[in-house]
C-alpha cells in the first residue's frame, strides 16, 4: 500500500495511507456488529450528514433552528407544497386527503418540545454500536406549530377495530437489507393524546426541508424517531405494525437476534453547558479561579424533572431549578461553583417524578439506544 504525507495544523508531518477507491456493495448490507475499533468511514459519512446541538446552546431556552440536532435516515425529499396531500385512510369511515392549507385553517397550536435522538450517547458505549456516532448533543428544544391530530382522527371516524395508526413519510431507502419508506406507528390511544400535532412550522417559520417540510408528526415526550417527517399518510390498521423501523430498529436488544423491547419515551437526562473556554481540538475546558456559574438543562419523557445535582470532585450538591420552558420541554438549572486552581472533575444528574435517576455508567444495548448516563467534564482552573 502506498503512503502519502500530510501536515497537521501545527505543521507536523504525518504519514497516511494513500486513498483507495471505496468498495461498491453489490447488495444491501446488514447492520454492522458493535466494535471496539476506531470510527469507521461509514460512521463519519453519517456524522457529516447529520449534526448535533453544540452543548453551549444549552444556555438558550429555545434552540436556534440551525443548532437543533438533525437526523435524516435516507435522503431529504423534495416536495411541492401545492401538490402535497396527506392521505388519511385504512379502517376509517371517511377516508380523505388534506392539503397544507386545509391543515393551516384548522385549530392552530404552538408548544415548546424537547426532542432527543434515541441514539444520543451511542459513541460512548463499549463495544460501540456502529451507526450515527452521537456523542451527547443529539437533542434540542424548539417551538413547534401545527394542528392537533386527535380532531382529524375524529373527523375521519376511526373504526373500533383499529389497533394502531401507521405514519408514513416520503423518505425511502434501504436499511438492514430492507427497502422501505420510513414509517412508524402509535396505538390509537397514544395518537389521540391532546399534545400530538401535525406540525408545519418551527420557531416561527415554515419547516425547513431537513426538518420535514411541509408537515411532520410531533409526539412530545417520545424519542425523535417517532415524530415522522415529510408525512404522506396516516393509516388505521387492525394489528400491530411490523415495518422495519418499528419491529427491527429502535429496540432495546442485547444481540442481533434479540427482539428486545421497543424504544419509546425519553429517559431522564441532564446536560451541563461546558464552562469557561475550550481548547480547539480536545474541547478541554479552562476557567478562572473564583465563583463560576454552572448551568444546563434537564428533561424526561416519563415524568417531570424533580431535581438536578452537580458533582465537583466526587461531592454531589443540589442545583437550583428554573421553571420548565414548556410542559414537554426541558427545564434550566444553575449551580455556583467556587473554583480553585488545579484540575477538577464535574458531573450532573437529574431525577424525575417517577423516581428514575441517571445511571453512573451506560446501560449497554446492541443498537445503542437510550444511553442517559451521567455527563462528566474535566476542567482546568487557572489562577
Amino acid at each position: 500500500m502506498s503512503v502519502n504525507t500530510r501536515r497537521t495544523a501545527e505543521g507536523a508531518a504525518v504519514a497516511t495511507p494513500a486513498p483507495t477507491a471505496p468498495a461498491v456493495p453489490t447488495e444491501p448490507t446488514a447492520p454492522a456488529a458493535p466494535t471496539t475499533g476506531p470510527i469507521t468511514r461509514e460512521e463519519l459519512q453519517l456524522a457529516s450528514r447529520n449534526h448535533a446541538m453544540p452543548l453551549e446552546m444549552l444556555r438558550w431556552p429555545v434552540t436556534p433552528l440551525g443548532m437543533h440536532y438533525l437526523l435524516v435516515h435516507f435522503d431529504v425529499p423534495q416536495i411541492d407544497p401545492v401538490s402535497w396531500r396527506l392521505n388519511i385512510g385504512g379502517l376509517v369511515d371517511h377516508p380523505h386527503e388534506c392539503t397544507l392549507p386545509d391543515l393551516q385553517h384548522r385549530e392552530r397550536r404552538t408548544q415548546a418540545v424537547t426532542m432527543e435522538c434515541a441514539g444520543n450517547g451511542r459513541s460512548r458505549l463499549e463495544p460501540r454500536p456502529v451507526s450515527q456516532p452521537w456523542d451527547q448533543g443529539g437533542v434540542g428544544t424548539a417551538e413547534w406549530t401545527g394542528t392537533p391530530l386527535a380532531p382529524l382522527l375524529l373527523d375521519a371516524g376511526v373504526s373500533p377495530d383499529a389497533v394502531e395508526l401507521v405514519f408514513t413519510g416520503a423518505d425511502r431507502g434501504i436499511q438492514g437489507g430492507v427497502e422501505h419508506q420510513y414509517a412508524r406507528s402509535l396505538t390509537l390511544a397514544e395518537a389521540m393524546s391532546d399534545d400530538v400535532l401535525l406540525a408545519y412550522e418551527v420557531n416561527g417559520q415554515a419547516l425547513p426541508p431537513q426538518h420535514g417540510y411541509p408537515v411532520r408528526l410531533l409526539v412530545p415526550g417520545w424519542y425523535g424517531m417517532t415524530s415522522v417527517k415529510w408525512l404522506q399518510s396516516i393509516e388505521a390498521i387492525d394489528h400491530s405494525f411490523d415495518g422495519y423501523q418499528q419491529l427491527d430498529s429502535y429496540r432495546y436488544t442485547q444481540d442481533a437476534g434479540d427482539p428486545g423491547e421497543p424504544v419509546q419515551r425519553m429517559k431522564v437526562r441532564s446536560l451541563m453547558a461546558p464552562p469557561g473556554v475550550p481548547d480547539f481540538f480536545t474541547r478541554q475546558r479552562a476557567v478562572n479561579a473564583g465563583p463560576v456559574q454552572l448551568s444546563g438543562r434537564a428533561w424526561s419523557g416519563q415524568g417531570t424533572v424533580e431535581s438536578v445535582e452537580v458533582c465537583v470532585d466526587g461531592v454531589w450538591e443540589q442545583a437550583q431549578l428554573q421553571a420548565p420552558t414548556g410542559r414537554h420541554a426541558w427545564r434550566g438549572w444553575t449551580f455556583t461553583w467556587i473554583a480553585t486552581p488545579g484540575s477538577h472533575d464535574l458531573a450532573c444528574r437529574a431525577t424525575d417524578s417517577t423516581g428514575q435517576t441517571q445511571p453512573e455508567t451506560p446501560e449497554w444495548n446492541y443498537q445503542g439506544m437510550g444511553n442517559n448516563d451521567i455527563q462528566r467534564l474535566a476542567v482546568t482552573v487557572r489562577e
Side-chain angles (χ1 to χ4, degrees), residues 6-185:
R6 65 176 175 83
R7 289 190 178 274
T8 67
E10 293 75 25
V14 179
T16 59
T20 58
V24 178
T26 57
E27 60 184 19
T29 56
T35 178
T36 57
I39 293 288
T40 64
R41 180 176 295 274
E42 290 79 8
E43 289 173 288
L44 181 61
Q45 181 175 238
L46 286 175
S48 70
R49 287 184 51 83
N50 305 305
H51 69 79
M53 180 196 72
L55 293 188
E56 62 267 27
M57 304 311 296
L58 289 163
R59 297 187 178 94
W60 277 254
V62 174
T63 310
L65 190 53
M67 295 295 183
H68 195 287
Y69 96 90
L70 179 69
L71 180 70
V72 177
H73 275 80
F74 301 129
D75 286 350
V76 176
Q78 187 175 21
I79 298 176
D80 175 15
V82 176
S83 61
W84 175 85
R85 299 291 185 273
L86 174 63
N87 293 286
I88 301 177
L91 297 176
V92 297
D93 295 334
H94 310 292
H96 63 283
E97 293 183 335
C98 293
T99 65
L100 181 56
D102 289 338
L103 297 180
Q104 292 171 330
H105 283 94
R106 297 181 68 94
E107 178 189 347
R108 178 183 174 92
R109 184 180 302 171
T110 298
Q111 53 192 30
V113 174
T114 295
M115 188 182 297
E116 182 180 16
C117 184
N120 197 21
R122 175 184 287 124
S123 69
R124 292 174 169 259
L125 299 176
E126 287 289 342
R128 185 185 74 258
V130 178
S131 183
Q132 167 67 26
W134 292 120
D135 188 20
Q136 294 176 317
V139 66
T141 293
E143 292 182 330
W144 303 89
T145 298
T147 191
L149 174 61
L152 274 164
L153 299 178
L154 292 174
D155 290 349
V158 179
S159 167
D161 296 330
V163 173
E164 292 188 356
L165 294 169
V166 180
F167 301 86
T168 301
D171 50 328
R172 186 176 187 87
I174 301 168
Q175 190 173 352
V178 179
E179 183 171 345
H180 59 280
Q181 283 181 255
Y182 187 91
R184 293 272 309 178
S185 72

